[in-house]
Amino acid sequence: MLEIKNVSKIYGQGTAKVVALSNVSFRVDEGDFIAIMGPSGSGKSTLLNVIGGLDYPSSGEVILDGKRIDNLDENDFVGIRRNKIAYVFQQYHLLPSLTALENVMLPLIFCGLEKEEESALDMLEEVGLGGRTEHKPSQLSGGEQQRVAIARALVNSPSLILADEPTGNMDQETGREILGLFQQLNKDGRSIVMVTHNPDIARHAKEIIILQDGRIINKIDQKGGNRKDVKEDSTRFSINCDNTKHSVV
């Protein structure tokens, strides 16, 4: 489905040169749920931006459904964002003057499908907001606003969801509710790549990719229910599996 091949991203030149990503490679297959972890500044959000076409790699390739997409211009990438890739941010980015339904309708309107209101209503129902369609963002809780943002991202039925710290602004209980929603979306067949600092979220993914200084330093396969306990601080990740503790620095 998605293949990241030897991707590097470099900002600046000379003494101002910053290597945000260095030779990163991995695959996302249909139905995968991959958590990207690492200390602040390790390149997590940069990687997600490169996958989603919000930034260009300095070298390497991003291949989606057999087609290279990292070299597309903005106009060519619009169709991919509308139909194949959904992006869920930590900030909800809802338009305050619009209702929940109207916010979810925006991608449909941009695609000339403004008559497909039923699709937006169905998506709000799917994320548990069927009774809040006429509420504006100021009338919704943080968790409800994130659900609207997720519904908006999914209304065009994308196959891949990119999520950048989607529970970062929430309390633990609300974060668990949003995680449950992502888990259900994954069970329904959608592939998810999620950046998170939260070990409790990462342990529910099927694979954990750990970045440090722009490089992948570890990949942890959690498929088949073989879940690990992951503890994070700014420099070290501890992974507990079958009562054996492994440290990744």
Side-chain angles (χ1 to χ4, degrees):
M1 178 186 184
L2 176 73
E3 188 174 4
I4 312 301
K5 298 178 67 175
N6 304 315
V7 164
S8 295
K9 179 63 181 179
I10 298 171
Y11 297 101
Q13 297 178 347
T15 57
K17 177 180 175 180
V18 175
V19 179
L21 295 173
S22 180
N23 201 35
V24 171
S25 297
F26 65 95
R27 285 181 56 87
V28 181
D29 293 320
E30 186 174 348
D32 269 351
F33 185 169
I34 295 178
I36 309 288
M37 299 191 73
S40 297
S42 60
K44 303 185 299 297
S45 293
T46 300
L47 176 58
L48 219 60
N49 288 343
V50 168
I51 296 173
L54 300 181
D55 204 349
Y56 291 97
S58 301
S59 61
E61 299 179 357
V62 180
I63 300 170
L64 179 66
D65 294 335
K67 179 180 179 181
R68 187 173 175 183
I69 62 173
D70 60 276
N71 57 356
L72 298 178
D73 62 27
E74 181 63 23
N75 290 333
D76 289 335
F77 211 100
V78 167
I80 292 175
R81 287 203 203 101
R82 286 177 177 172
N83 300 304
K84 292 189 175 184
I85 297 178
Y87 216 126
V88 179
F89 299 90
Q90 181 175 349
Q91 305 297 330
Y92 317 127
H93 297 302
L94 302 178
L95 295 184
S97 62
L98 301 184
T99 65
L101 176 59
E102 290 167 339
N103 269 286
V104 175
M105 283 286 297
L106 284 176
L108 296 173
I109 294 171
F110 293 149
C111 292
L113 301 173
E114 57 268 17
K115 295 182 179 180
E116 298 294 324
E117 182 176 308
E118 194 65 31
S119 298
L121 288 169
D122 289 345
M123 191 54 61
L124 282 167
E125 188 70 39
E126 184 174 337
V127 300
L129 291 178
R132 310 281 278 174
T133 60
E134 297 304 315
H135 288 67
K136 293 184 177 181
S138 62
Q139 299 171 306
L140 301 171
S141 68
E144 288 172 332
Q145 289 183 61
Q146 187 63 289
R147 287 173 183 268
V148 174
I150 293 170
R152 180 185 58 193
L154 299 179
V155 73
N156 281 331
S157 300
S159 54
L160 175 64
I161 303 170
L162 306 177
D164 193 355
E165 295 280 5
T167 64
N169 288 333
M170 300 175 184
D171 58 61
Q172 287 188 349
E173 181 177 354
T174 305
R176 282 193 293 268
E177 292 175 358
I178 296 300
L179 172 61
L181 176 56
F182 276 104
Q183 288 178 296
Q184 185 58 53
L185 293 169
N186 183 239
K187 289 178 182 177
D188 292 341
R190 293 182 173 95
S191 301
I192 298 172
V193 179
M194 181 184 293
V195 166
T196 182
H197 277 97
N198 190 331
D200 290 333
I201 290 177
R203 65 185 297 272
H204 290 283
K206 295 176 181 176
E207 182 179 11
I208 301 173
I209 293 176
I210 299 177
L211 289 178
Q212 185 166 300
D213 297 328
R215 297 177 180 270
I216 293 178
I217 62 170
N218 203 12
K219 295 179 181 179
I220 306 164
D221 186 358
Q222 301 196 123
K223 295 184 178 71
N226 186 26
R227 300 296 189 232
K228 283 83 172 175
D229 292 330
V230 183
K231 296 180 180 179
E232 179 188 10
D233 62 29
S234 61
T235 58
R236 177 183 296 268
F237 292 83
S238 298
I239 305 150
N240 296 318
C241 179
D242 299 329
N243 298 319
T244 302
K245 183 174 180 180
H246 309 275
S247 293
V248 182
V249 180

